[in-house]
């Protein structure tokens, strides 16, 4: 049972434009959400996180939005750069546990 | 901060053999996690340590799998009597104490069963 879903396996965006990656979850106990970026042959790299008490968190070109009522979060990358091309995973953790649940990833390609 | 280190990076073995992987977490992190990742999927949780205590285990962790973290520093994951279905990337992550701490991953050990 996939508790965290990324329904878009891939996304292509022109350099300089906005990239929007989406993630949905089903477990209402999740209260901490993260985005990871993964290059081939490397482990996932932490990008940005948000706790359920917030609806937005910004770090440079990266912004994560959380809509708790819709059980939906998104990652915005502005402006997109070719080096952003990677697989992006969203992850969520419940307030009662320590394991993170990951989505299946979205492969982002930024076209120069 | 030298990051999370995993060894070996690649392991090829015959079905039925035992394998052991090692993970060295970020030195000040007291929490350590093992995940498994197969093609097209996100990382799947296997087990979690806080210091030397193994506090959570996934039902994915069959009795052929065992993990240890003696002295609360490095950890090992052993798979006995390997099967074809064990072929995957095995990822280790660590995090600092406290709530809402991100996990930082190593580059993984890719296991291939012949």
């Amino acid at each position: 049972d996939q508790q965290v879903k990324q329904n878009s396996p891939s996304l292509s965006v022109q350099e300089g434009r906005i990239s929007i990656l989406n993630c949905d979850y089903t477990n209402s106990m999740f209260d901490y959400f993260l985005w990871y970026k993964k290059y081939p042959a490397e482990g996932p790299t932490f990008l940005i996180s948000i706790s359920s008490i917030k609806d937005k968190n910004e770090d440079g070109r990266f912004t994560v939005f959380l809509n708790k009522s819709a059980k939906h979060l998104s990652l915005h990358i502005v402006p997109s750069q070719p080096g952003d091309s990677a697989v992006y995973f969203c992850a969520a953790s419940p307030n009662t546990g320590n394991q993170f649940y990951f989505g299946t990833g979205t492969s982002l390609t930024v076209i120069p | 901060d030298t990051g999370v280190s995993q060894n070996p990076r690649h392991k090829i073995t015959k079905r039925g053999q035992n394998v052991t992987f090692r993970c060295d977490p970020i030195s000040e992190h007291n929490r350590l996690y093992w995940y498994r990742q197969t093609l097209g999927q996100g990382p799947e949780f296997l087990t979690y340590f806080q210091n030397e205590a193994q506090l959570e285990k996934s039902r994915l962790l069959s009795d052929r799998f065992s993990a240890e973290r003696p002295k609360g520093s490095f950890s090992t994951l052993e798979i006995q009597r390997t099967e074809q279905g064990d072929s995957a990337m095995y990822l280790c992550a660590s995090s600092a104490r406290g709530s809402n701490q991100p996990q930082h991953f190593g580059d993984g050990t890719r296991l291939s069963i012949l």
Side-chain angles (χ1 to χ4, degrees), chain A residues 4-75:
Chain A
V4 177
K5 299 178 184 178
Q6 293 176 257
N7 292 318
S8 297
S10 62
L11 175 68
S12 290
V13 171
Q14 290 285 342
E15 181 179 5
R17 305 294 290 269
I18 184 171
S19 294
I20 300 176
L21 296 99
N22 294 303
C23 179
D24 297 292
Y25 62 96
T26 57
N27 190 338
S28 58
M29 299 297 288
F30 288 155
D31 72 342
Y32 182 50
F33 305 87
L34 311 90
W35 284 94
Y36 285 84
K37 172 179 175 179
K38 186 180 184 306
Y39 292 120
E42 295 183 9
T45 301
F46 169 68
L47 264 181
I48 191 168
S49 64
I50 188 168
S51 72
S52 59
I53 61 173
K54 292 185 172 183
D55 54 20
K56 177 183 174 182
N57 189 26
E58 225 172 321
D59 184 1
R61 297 186 297 114
F62 301 92
T63 303
V64 56
F65 294 92
L66 176 62
N67 182 333
K68 290 184 288 293
S69 60
K71 293 191 177 68
H72 177 83
L73 67 156
S74 61
L75 175 69

Side-chain angles (χ1 to χ4, degrees), chain B residues 6-58:
Chain B
Q6 291 188 246
N7 288 287
R9 291 295 310 275
H10 304 275
K11 179 70 176 178
I12 302 172
T13 192
K14 292 182 180 178
R15 184 168 51 93
Q17 297 294 304
N18 299 344
V19 294
T20 301
F21 311 139
R22 177 178 169 125
C23 172
D24 289 272
I26 294 172
S27 58
E28 60 269 26
H29 287 180
N30 70 328
R31 296 173 176 174
L32 186 146
Y33 310 79
W34 284 99
Y35 287 84
R36 182 173 69 187
Q37 185 176 18
T38 53
L39 196 62
Q41 300 297 316
E44 294 176 291
F45 172 79
L46 291 178
T47 190
Y48 155 68
F49 290 84
Q50 183 164 301
N51 300 312
E52 66 276 7
Q54 188 174 19
L55 297 185
E56 285 186 49
K57 288 199 296 186
S58 163

Side-chain angles (χ1 to χ4, degrees), chain A residues 32 36 41 43 89 98-100 103, chain B residues 9 33 42 56 100 103 106-107:
Chain A
Y32 182 50
Y36 285 84
F89 291 98
N98 291 285
Q99 55 175 289
F100 285 17
Chain B
R9 291 295 310 275
Y33 310 79
E56 285 186 49
N100 292 351
Q103 297 179 2
D107 287 337

Side-chain angles (χ1 to χ4, degrees), chain A residues 81-98:
Chain A
Q81 299 173 354
D84 296 330
S85 297
V87 177
Y88 289 78
F89 291 98
C90 68
S93 177
N95 55 14
T96 54
N98 291 285

